[in-house]
Amino acid sequence: MTALTDTLREKVSSVPCGDFTPLLLIPLLLILTILYHRTRNAHVPRYPDPFGLMFIYGAKKAADRKDVPFWFASLFDRYGETFVIPSILGKTSYATMAPENIKTFLSTSFNSWALGKLREQAFEPLLGKGIFTQDGGEWSHSRKLLRPQFQRRELEGLGSIHEHIGKMVELIPDGEVVDMQPLVYRLTLDTATEFLFGETAGSLDSTDKATNGQGFADAFNTAQSYIVWRFRVGKILNTLFHSSEGEDAIRRCHSYVDQYIFRNTQKPLSQSGRYVFLDSLKSEETDPFKLRCQSLHVLLAGRDTTAGTLGWTFMLLAQHPQVWKKLKLACEVLPKEPGFSELKDIPYLRHVIAEVLRLYPSVPSNGRVATQDTILPHPAPGIKVKKGEFVRYSPMAMQRRKDIWGEDADEFRPERWEEEGLMQRVGSWGYLPFNGGPRVCLGQQFALMEASAVVQAVVRSFEGVEYCGGEMHVVEPALTMAPAASVVRFWGKREVEK
Ligand code: HEM
């Protein structure tokens, strides 16, 4: 069939102008292309539009409503666990929420898959080359460079994080409506900059937007929307069209990070004995441009993911007063500034965060490109994927599957984590908020530690909380998923123990 369509394509291009016969061949070529795609992997369910244009239209509408991850997850209810997305303009792609497929491209056939050039090309103007965009040898190099830094960070424990959390709690008003999302972004910016550069942005110290890191936060959000747009429209359009607002935001992000790098590289290694990521990194890497790129990648990983998780947590706790009460009781036994092992010893705190990440994983959908012809196992007898074809996967849809998690899979119920046999049912590839295989998240332990410390501090500082709005399914376009707003009202503030 491929040979036939190729021959027809050649005929169309070789006939002289003025002869209209080739025009008649065009519909034939389209029909043959459709038939060819239909006969490939014919046992796999497919998106019902043979040209894939409705899929693009659906994605565009979802982007306008700001609910792309939820729209994408909803497609699996209609078209099945794995389905083909035909395309007349580009290559056929696939969508899956089958754990056996995800395990294949993230782990067992890791070398047959990559993040792909489109991701690198779309993200590079903001992030430069770094661990989130690299493949193959370059990625291995970055991973080897960064891994020990994270191991050292974990050993260090919570350090000054409690101090930043205390400042954030002080800023939460008693009995008044508050949007927690900007506050948790300020917190994670302060902790991430301290960890990365050895000096905090201090955004929780000041209400002056010019100096409190809000300028950087706004620029970082605008720059991310721009690169998400670049990724969605594809290589040709994003090379042709540029947004001056997006590019200006990128410049502002670079100069913000460069000032830290400049100051850090001017001074000798920190004598404080405290761990500083950049101190450690600069003993391996001295080029300021490369230092900026690696730092921006880790800043994105450290600030946005944890802030999103905290935003969802407060909204969900506000909607589930019985969970709040139980969590408050469980956390009362903790000392004022608990360490990681003490936090880990509170199972209900762990279960609340695991449940938030099940329903609202920071990376709700993701994708991989085949680097050679290869096979995905689901549905049996397998899908033949050609080199260059793209597979989208949705951890969020997988983590809400009723056949795995039960009829109440869409409900926030931390108690499910106490059920015996849950993990046998789910399997190690059915729950992946931190990804799996060789590219598993490097900051997982650090993120869980920070999120637990924040949640317990807030829960212990207030008697109760109520939900005051903020749409659960509205998310700003960004590289990770966070609620557009997390609007709640805390009440019954405790006096801070001195
Ligand atoms: C709740 C918090 C977090 C979640 C849910 C999360 C989730 C993830 C996911 C899903 C990936 C894979 C991305 C991909 O394959 O495209 C990833 C990678 C990564 N994460 Fe996290 N992350 C979190 C926090 C953090 C933090 C705080 C840091 C660092 C301070 C971090 C550092 C990294 C790094 C360096 C990678 C790249 C690993 C690689 O490609 O080899 N993460 N994370």
Side-chain angles (χ1 to χ4, degrees):
M1 188 71 83
T2 334
L4 183 56
T5 48
D6 286 349
T7 319
L8 282 167
R9 272 199 197 104
E10 267 168 36
K11 274 193 181 304
V12 170
S13 57
S14 63
V15 276
C17 297
D19 181 349
F20 289 99
T21 322
L23 290 181
L24 298 175
L25 292 177
I26 290 174
L28 186 61
L29 180 65
L30 284 177
I31 290 166
L32 286 173
T33 309
I34 293 170
L35 283 176
Y36 165 65
H37 285 298
R38 287 217 158 237
T39 48
R40 262 191 74 206
N41 296 313
H43 63 296
V44 187
R46 56 195 56 232
Y47 192 81
D49 154 25
F51 303 112
L53 295 175
M54 289 309 290
F55 182 82
I56 297 170
Y57 179 70
K60 160 85 179 76
K61 297 286 277 182
D64 293 345
R65 291 191 307 269
K66 297 191 175 176
D67 67 359
V68 173
F70 299 93
W71 163 80
F72 180 55
S74 75
L75 297 180
F76 294 95
D77 291 337
R78 268 180 276 162
Y79 307 119
E81 212 175 306
T82 302
F83 58 91
V84 179
I85 306 164
S87 170
I88 196 77
L89 298 172
K91 290 203 161 100
T92 299
S93 62
Y94 306 85
T96 189
M97 61 162 184
E100 56 271 49
N101 283 346
I102 297 176
K103 178 182 174 184
T104 304
F105 51 73
L106 291 188
S107 176
T108 43
S109 295
F110 180 74
N111 290 329
S112 306
W113 298 87
L115 303 180
K117 284 282 163 217
L118 176 58
R119 175 147 151 183
E120 185 185 329
Q121 191 241 1
F123 291 12
E124 221 172 280
L126 173 63
L127 300 177
K129 277 189 194 301
I131 194 158
F132 278 118
T133 53
Q134 289 167 325
D135 282 310
E138 287 186 339
W139 163 76
S140 274
H141 173 75
S142 289
R143 179 118 187 154
K144 275 199 199 100
L145 192 70
L146 297 186
R147 199 187 164 84
Q149 330 297 346
F150 284 96
Q151 285 162 342
R152 284 199 51 195
R153 183 67 190 88
E154 277 163 32
L155 289 177
E156 181 102 346
L158 282 158
S160 58
I161 289 181
H162 287 300
E163 205 181 297
H164 297 293
I165 296 174
K167 287 180 187 167
M168 187 193 82
V169 172
E170 263 179 52
L171 292 175
I172 304 175
D174 188 3
E176 280 171 40
V177 174
V178 59
D179 180 358
M180 287 298 288
Q181 204 49 51
L183 271 184
V184 289
Y185 271 128
R186 280 162 73 184
L187 172 76
T188 54
L189 177 66
D190 286 1
T191 57
T193 44
E194 184 156 60
F195 155 62
L196 272 169
F197 309 121
E199 58 171 312
T200 170
S203 73
L204 290 165
D205 294 326
S206 149
T207 48
D208 176 6
K209 283 196 169 193
T211 55
N212 75 358
Q214 195 56 42
F216 168 74
D218 291 345
F220 205 39
N221 295 344
T222 309
Q224 284 193 49
S225 314
Y226 176 48
I227 58 175
V228 167
W229 172 85
R230 286 174 55 90
F231 188 64
R232 285 190 187 143
V233 299
K235 206 168 167 176
I236 299 172
L237 286 179
N238 78 35
T239 316
L240 290 176
F241 298 101
H242 296 266
S243 140
S244 52
E245 193 195 357
E247 281 171 11
D248 178 54
I250 289 175
R251 267 192 297 278
R252 282 189 286 140
C253 293
H254 289 170
S255 61
Y256 184 83
V257 171
D258 286 349
Q259 52 166 345
Y260 283 104
I261 295 185
F262 178 74
R263 280 200 296 271
N264 184 287
T265 47
Q266 295 307 299
K267 66 179 177 60
L269 292 184
S270 168
Q271 300 299 311
S272 67
R274 212 185 51 212
Y275 172 74
V276 175
F277 181 89
L278 204 54
D279 286 349
S280 193
L281 199 61
K282 75 187 183 200
S283 56
E284 305 274 336
E285 179 62 80
T286 47
D287 177 352
F289 176 71
K290 287 190 181 157
L291 287 173
R292 177 218 273 172
C293 298
Q294 294 290 8
S295 303
L296 266 168
H297 280 247
V298 179
L299 187 58
L300 170 78
R303 185 196 79 128
D304 293 36
T305 47
T306 311
T309 304
L310 289 169
W312 299 113
T313 306
F314 293 125
M315 283 220 267
L316 287 163
L317 288 176
Q319 289 167 9
H320 296 85
Q322 73 292 0
V323 177
W324 169 275
K325 257 192 227 150
K326 198 169 160 182
L327 184 62
K328 194 169 166 56
L329 208 63
C331 291
E332 289 305 338
V333 298
L334 286 168
K336 186 168 170 252
E337 293 189 348
F340 194 26
S341 58
E342 288 158 322
L343 290 167
K344 261 191 175 163
D345 272 351
I346 308 290
Y348 199 60
L349 179 57
R350 279 202 326 265
H351 296 161
V352 165
I353 291 173
E355 184 70 347
V356 172
L357 285 167
R358 181 181 72 81
L359 289 170
Y360 297 96
S362 309
V363 184
S365 57
N366 208 329
R368 293 292 187 262
V369 179
T371 54
Q372 52 187 284
D373 290 359
T374 183
I375 306 260
L376 284 178
H378 181 274
I383 307 180
K384 289 183 182 143
V385 180
K386 286 197 173 299
K387 180 178 174 179
E389 288 182 337
F390 187 62
V391 180
R392 296 161 214 271
Y393 64 104
S394 172
M396 184 162 78
M398 179 174 76
Q399 293 171 182
R400 290 169 176 239
R401 279 175 59 159
K402 293 199 167 61
D403 57 336
I404 297 178
W405 299 89
E407 278 310 304
D408 65 353
D410 285 327
E411 276 169 38
F412 176 66
R413 193 172 64 80
E415 284 70 16
R416 77 177 72 246
W417 293 91
E418 291 158 17
E419 287 164 14
E420 230 173 89
L422 177 79
M423 281 328 279
Q424 278 96 308
R425 216 166 60 227
V426 173
S428 46
W429 291 90
Y431 177 71
L432 288 181
F434 293 100
N435 227 21
R439 292 197 86 127
V440 70
C441 171
L442 278 173
Q444 175 169 352
Q445 292 307 318
F446 179 61
L448 290 173
M449 176 164 82
E450 184 173 17
S452 310
V454 177
V455 172
Q456 66 83 31
V458 173
V459 166
R460 290 163 76 201
S461 301
F462 292 92
E463 274 312 309
V465 62
E466 73 190 36
Y467 178 59
C468 301
E471 288 281 338
M472 292 306 279
H473 286 188
V474 175
V475 292
E476 294 298 338
L479 299 176
T480 58
M481 182 173 80
S486 171
V487 188
V488 295
R489 188 177 73 87
F490 290 102
W491 49 271
K493 196 169 191 170
R494 255 194 201 175
E495 281 301 307
V496 184
E497 302 157 39
K498 297 281 176 205

